[in-house]
Amino acid sequence: MLRNVAVLALPDVAVFELGVLCELFGYDRTAEGLPGYDFAVCSVDGGPVTTHAGFDVAVRHDLSRLEEADLVAIGPYGYREHEVPPEVLAALRRAHERGAWVMSVCTGAFALGAAGLLDGRRCTTHWLHTARLAERHPAARIDPDVLYVQDGKVLTSAGTAASVDAGLHLVRQEHGTTVATMLARRMVVPPHREGGQAQYIETPLQSIQCETLQPVLTLVLSSLDHPHTVETMADLAHMAPRTFARRFRNETGATPHDWLTNQRLLLARRLLEDSDLGVDAIAVRAGFGSAATLRHHFAQRLSTTPQAYRGTFRSQPV
């Protein structure tokens, strides 16, 4: 049973995510029938820690506090500017080896990666940082699209609100659904979002910078409601379809079909966020033809539905 929690704050720690960990595990709610934890925020030397917001956090515990914790959690920190000290990496490895939970929020995953705890494991971080995490730790099995991932007793999450979801998932694992739901109600947040739900990655309709295909792709972007195919795009480029597909992949890094589907999804997302059009009309405007096809691609690539997506970003129903 989870009883003892240590949160490690590294330099330039992110205030919101540090606060989420403190809210989840450091607030005494035993009078309300919820579990209580022996909780501490720690730093490398037990001294103050800088935050990304420009002020310091006073900390009373050093790394020795991690040795007795059932959960060691790490929030986002300035991973670009600060190397994780060897004594921190050793403490993380010891925690994992003795069976403690090890949890990272957002860029806290870089500390787990540096300790070797992500090698061969599924993991995630905020989508802005997944490419760099993969570059630094090629043995990690990074899923850039999900809110959080549990692999054994290593739990990694994306940023900001996903830290709440990951923390509630851990509470649910340790204390059951009833306790997690009570805690979520107390925090006024949804009691459960599946870790596999997609992060809402902001990828705007691109300004194409291609060596030879830019005019064709610009035209396609301006007419996504038309029935474009590899063959029709190849015809616009005055190329054979196979030649066009090969040139397209060389210049954009994607297949024509994947690129076109992604651009249509991006347009559909914008229309769901910014317009009052119904799902059927959006499906036509984005070039999917039918609401059923639009729902299929939303489920396949975003792990949600158009209605749920709009509900996340707008108050009015579809």
Side-chain angles (χ1 to χ4, degrees), residues 124-135 142-144 199:
T124 195
T125 187
H126 192 291
W127 58 267
L128 281 171
H129 306 284
T130 51
R132 191 176 293 266
L133 184 65
E135 178 183 325
I142 300 164
D143 190 335
Q199 296 184 44

Side-chain angles (χ1 to χ4, degrees), residues 227-258:
H228 296 293
T229 64
V230 175
E231 288 73 19
T232 61
M233 289 191 286
D235 189 54
L236 290 171
H238 306 293
M239 296 180 184
R242 291 181 64 180
T243 302
F244 174 80
R246 184 170 57 252
R247 180 74 60 82
F248 193 102
R249 192 175 187 95
N250 288 341
E251 295 192 14
T252 70
T255 67
H257 179 267
D258 276 350

